[in-house]
Amino acid sequence: MTAPLGVYIHWPFCKSKCPYCDFNSHVREGVEQERWRKALLTELEYAAREAPGRRVETMFFGGGTPSLMEPETVSALIKRTRELWDTAADVEITLEANPTSVEAGRFAALAEAGVNRVSLGVQALDPGALRFLGREHSLDEALEALAIARKSFARHSFDLIYARPGQTPEAWAEELERALALAGEHLSLYQLTIERGTKFFAEHARGAIALPVEEAAAEMFERTQARLSQAGLPAYEISNHARPGAACRHNLIYWRYQDYVGVGPGAHGRFTTGDAKRATRRTSGPEGWLAAVEREGHGTAETTDVTGRDRVEEALMMGLRMTDGIDRALFAATAGRDPVEALGDRKLSPLVEAGFLEIDATHLKATPAGQQRLNALLERLVA
Ligand SMILES: C[S@@+](CC[C@H](N)C(=O)[O-])C[C@H]1O[C@@H](n2cnc3c(N)ncnc32)[C@H](O)[C@@H]1O
Ligand code: SF4
């Protein structure tokens, strides 16, 4: 069987920078669309030389705001991907979209280009919260964009951010009910994190904003998990919920430590080459990346081979995010060793006894208590 591959394409531009966001996203006047189209196609061709002979199972246009790409660019990248690799008949092609009216106006053309799944950054179902989060869209625009997405694409999801300053568990529970009434097959629900270098980081540091206390945030997380399970969209990863069979296959490739290539500024790739996983990272600044691609045919900043213990640790960090945990046989195939054997009893037993991990013949997984403290748990495992 041909090894499956995911293709990630990064569009690094946004209309404005949201105060909480530390993604590789930049505001620029007048992006030269044709020049960018050419450069992305050039690096896609380079990626096909990095990981040849695979079957593309998923593509993901992420950002930044890929709904600001010209549909023609999206179409050209999908078409070229199909020429460069064998492509699964049921290939999943996701695009992240911001729900402004301008972008929703492009959904039909994006669907025509081959996008069959859209992930909408709704972020909040409350007008005050949308303003606080610095979003460009109103609540009405988001609802309208959702309705258009439902008509245009076979599959759709939307993102919300909760545990916002001042938000109580009760207020979130109400917002969650509204979300469920609008949801299709998939929802991504993220707890707000304060990231270094963002506007919120500075405001938080000088005490101008405060996150809900830990117990309130934990209660919101627990209520989210319980209510969504009850509604038929259980979590399949810490922040991602889906109806059975409707998980995002592209994200599963990351969490299962399977192979993907990255195209565009700051994009990462991980693909198997012999006994190693090759890790690639492209230059993150948009202008530097563009110049490198035009000069050299790719914007790779770093290539390393991840082997041995590092490979096991990377796979572990990704795999424990999934609710079903790590499939031990799949892990052995992608990371080179059975995880239970590699970690050893001395590390695992205390964490199993404390109720943070569960191990059986086929799986290693974090319990709900373990998932809530995943970073601390991982620190213990990789120490
Ligand atoms: C690549 S980003 C955004 C995609 C798209 N540009 C948008 O804003 O809708 C993917 C998602 O990460 C989430 N996110 C980004 N920064 C976050 C933060 N600091 N805390 C919680 N969620 C965050 C948001 O829900 C966002 O939709
Ligand atoms: S959240 Fe989305 S729109 Fe806002 S800056 Fe980040 S990538 Fe851009």
Side-chain angles (χ1 to χ4, degrees):
M1 201 181 88
T2 327
L5 186 75
V7 175
Y8 175 78
I9 296 176
H10 192 78
W11 184 258
F13 303 115
C14 293
K15 252 185 229 152
S16 60
K17 184 80 185 173
C18 303
Y20 54 86
C21 177
D22 80 334
F23 282 81
N24 186 24
S25 60
H26 308 265
V27 180
R28 296 284 186 271
E29 285 293 321
V31 174
E32 292 175 84
Q33 292 270 353
E34 230 181 279
R35 204 170 154 200
W36 273 82
R37 172 154 65 237
K38 233 175 120 191
L40 288 169
L41 285 165
T42 301
E43 194 169 70
L44 182 72
E45 281 161 18
Y46 180 77
R49 294 195 291 278
E50 289 179 316
R54 313 294 175 94
R55 190 187 57 247
V56 174
E57 298 276 343
T58 64
M59 282 184 81
F60 195 102
F61 292 87
T65 307
S67 47
L68 295 175
M69 289 169 93
E70 280 182 356
E72 209 182 323
T73 304
V74 175
S75 169
L77 287 160
I78 294 173
K79 185 164 167 277
R80 195 77 188 105
T81 297
R82 289 181 175 280
E83 290 161 359
L84 291 165
W85 288 279
D86 182 19
T87 307
D90 64 345
V91 61
E92 172 191 276
I93 306 180
T94 304
L95 181 133
E96 283 180 343
N98 284 26
T100 70
S101 52
V102 178
E103 288 156 280
R106 291 177 164 179
F107 287 177
L110 289 166
E112 181 73 19
V115 173
N116 54 27
R117 183 176 182 276
V118 76
S119 171
L120 281 175
V122 172
Q123 317 306 4
L125 293 170
D126 172 85
L130 286 174
R131 277 193 299 276
F132 172 72
L133 293 171
R135 299 297 292 184
E136 290 272 328
H137 62 268
S138 65
L139 182 53
D140 284 348
E141 265 181 303
L143 298 179
E144 180 66 17
L146 257 172
I148 300 172
R150 219 173 276 130
K151 276 190 241 144
S152 309
F153 302 101
R155 301 170 61 195
H156 71 86
S157 174
F158 62 90
D159 297 357
L160 294 178
I161 298 179
Y162 70 100
R164 307 184 296 253
Q167 192 179 38
T168 61
E170 290 66 36
W172 169 238
E174 273 174 36
E175 194 169 338
L176 202 51
E177 290 307 317
R178 271 177 275 144
L180 278 170
L182 296 165
E185 55 165 37
H186 192 286
L187 280 177
S188 300
L189 306 169
Y190 300 104
Q191 284 194 51
L192 177 65
T193 55
I194 302 293
E195 305 293 341
R196 194 169 282 282
T198 61
K199 201 166 153 215
F200 274 4
F201 187 84
E203 289 176 6
H204 187 255
R206 66 177 153 81
I209 55 170
L211 292 178
V213 294
E214 209 178 307
E215 297 79 57
E219 187 183 336
M220 287 189 231
F221 178 78
E222 277 157 20
R223 281 199 187 191
T224 305
Q225 308 298 309
R227 181 65 186 104
L228 268 87
S229 292
Q230 189 196 31
L233 286 108
Y236 64 98
E237 188 262 359
I238 298 176
S239 309
N240 284 281
H241 302 257
R243 297 199 186 280
C248 172
R249 282 162 50 206
H250 185 83
N251 285 338
L252 283 176
I253 287 182
Y254 299 149
W255 298 322
R256 290 178 176 152
Y257 205 52
Q258 291 172 313
D259 288 3
Y260 58 95
V261 290
V263 171
H268 288 258
R270 287 283 182 288
F271 43 89
T272 313
T273 49
D275 278 347
K277 268 278 182 187
R278 180 146 300 162
T280 61
R281 182 177 58 79
R282 315 292 187 203
T283 301
S284 47
E287 291 75 21
W289 176 85
L290 190 63
V293 175
E294 289 178 344
R295 206 173 49 236
E296 294 165 38
H298 64 98
T300 314
E302 198 181 3
T303 304
T304 42
D305 279 350
V306 189
T307 55
R309 188 84 195 161
D310 292 343
R311 193 167 161 209
V312 168
E313 287 179 0
E314 272 203 344
L316 193 70
M317 287 200 247
M318 301 310 279
L320 285 182
R321 302 180 63 88
M322 291 183 287
T323 312
D324 290 345
I326 289 167
D327 176 322
R328 291 174 61 178
L330 185 63
F331 189 101
T334 57
R337 285 192 71 184
D338 174 80
V340 175
E341 210 177 275
L343 290 162
D345 233 23
R346 207 171 46 85
K347 259 191 185 158
L348 291 172
S349 291
L351 294 166
V352 172
E353 273 157 35
F356 297 131
L357 281 178
E358 267 171 31
I359 302 172
D360 64 23
T362 58
H363 284 80
L364 163 67
K365 72 175 195 180
T367 60
Q371 282 220 326
Q372 279 225 32
R373 301 162 185 79
L374 192 60
N375 288 341
L377 182 64
L378 288 168
E379 268 174 36
R380 292 276 295 271
L381 288 171
V382 304

Coordinates of all heavy atoms in Angstrom, one line a residue, residues 13-14 16-18 20-23 25 63-65 98 123 135, ligand 2:
F13 N -1.4 35.7 5.7 CA -1.9 37.1 5.8 C -3.3 37.1 6.5 O -4.1 36.2 6.3 CB -2.0 37.7 4.4 CG -0.6 37.8 3.8 CD1 -0.4 37.0 2.6 CD2 0.4 38.5 4.3 CE1 0.8 37.0 2.0 CE2 1.7 38.5 3.7 CZ 1.9 37.7 2.5
C14 N -3.5 38.2 7.2 CA -4.8 38.5 7.8 C -5.2 39.9 7.6 O -4.3 40.8 7.4 CB -4.8 38.2 9.3 SG -4.5 36.5 9.7
S16 N -6.5 41.9 10.0 CA -6.0 42.5 11.2 C -5.4 41.5 12.1 O -5.7 40.3 11.9 CB -7.1 43.4 11.8 OG -8.1 42.5 12.2
K17 N -4.6 41.9 13.0 CA -4.0 40.9 14.0 C -4.9 40.8 15.2 O -5.1 41.9 15.9 CB -2.6 41.3 14.3 CG -1.8 40.4 15.2 CD -1.3 39.2 14.4 CE -0.6 38.1 15.3 NZ -0.3 36.9 14.6
C18 N -5.4 39.7 15.6 CA -6.2 39.5 16.8 C -5.3 39.6 18.0 O -4.2 39.0 18.0 CB -7.0 38.2 16.7 SG -8.0 38.1 15.2
Y20 N -5.1 38.0 20.7 CA -4.7 36.8 21.4 C -3.8 35.9 20.6 O -3.3 34.9 21.1 CB -6.0 36.0 21.8 CG -6.9 35.7 20.6 CD1 -6.7 34.6 19.8 CD2 -7.9 36.6 20.3 CE1 -7.4 34.4 18.7 CE2 -8.7 36.4 19.1 CZ -8.4 35.3 18.4 OH -9.2 35.1 17.2
C21 N -3.6 36.2 19.3 CA -3.1 35.3 18.4 C -1.6 35.3 18.2 O -1.0 36.4 17.9 CB -3.8 35.5 17.0 SG -3.2 34.4 15.7
D22 N -0.9 34.2 18.3 CA 0.5 34.2 18.1 C 0.9 33.3 16.9 O 2.0 32.8 16.7 CB 1.3 33.7 19.3 CG 1.3 32.2 19.5 OD1 0.4 31.6 19.1 OD2 2.2 31.7 20.2
F23 N -0.1 33.0 16.0 CA 0.1 32.2 14.8 C 1.0 33.1 13.9 O 1.1 34.3 14.0 CB -1.2 31.8 14.1 CG -1.9 30.7 14.8 CD1 -2.6 30.9 15.9 CD2 -1.7 29.4 14.3 CE1 -3.2 29.8 16.5 CE2 -2.3 28.3 14.9 CZ -3.1 28.5 16.0
S25 N 1.0 35.0 11.4 CA 0.0 35.7 10.6 C 0.4 37.2 10.6 O 0.8 37.8 11.6 CB -1.4 35.5 11.1 OG -1.5 36.0 12.5
G63 N -3.8 29.1 8.3 CA -3.2 30.5 8.3 C -2.9 31.0 9.7 O -2.8 30.2 10.6
G64 N -2.8 32.3 9.7 CA -3.3 33.3 8.7 C -4.8 33.1 8.3 O -5.5 32.4 9.0
T65 N -5.2 33.7 7.3 CA -6.5 33.6 6.8 C -6.6 33.2 5.4 O -6.6 34.0 4.4 CB -7.2 35.0 6.9 OG1 -7.0 35.5 8.3 CG2 -8.7 35.0 6.6
N98 N -12.4 32.9 7.7 CA -12.9 33.9 8.7 C -14.3 34.2 8.2 O -14.5 34.4 7.0 CB -12.0 35.1 8.7 CG -10.7 34.9 9.5 OD1 -10.3 33.7 9.6 ND2 -10.2 35.9 10.1
Q123 N -15.3 32.0 16.8 CA -14.7 32.5 18.1 C -15.6 32.8 19.2 O -15.3 32.5 20.4 CB -13.7 33.6 17.9 CG -12.8 33.6 16.7 CD -11.9 32.3 16.5 OE1 -12.1 31.4 17.3 NE2 -11.1 32.2 15.5
R135 N -12.3 40.8 16.7 CA -12.6 40.2 15.4 C -13.2 41.2 14.4 O -13.8 42.2 14.8 CB -13.6 39.0 15.7 CG -13.1 37.9 16.6 CD -11.9 37.2 16.0 NE -12.3 36.5 14.8 CZ -11.5 35.7 14.1 NH1 -10.2 35.6 14.5 NH2 -11.9 35.0 13.1
Ligands
SF4_2 S1 -6.9 34.5 14.9 FE1 -7.0 34.2 12.7 S2 -7.6 36.2 11.9 FE2 -6.8 36.5 13.9 S3 -4.7 37.1 13.7 FE3 -4.8 34.8 14.1 S4 -4.8 33.8 12.2 FE4 -5.3 36.0 11.8

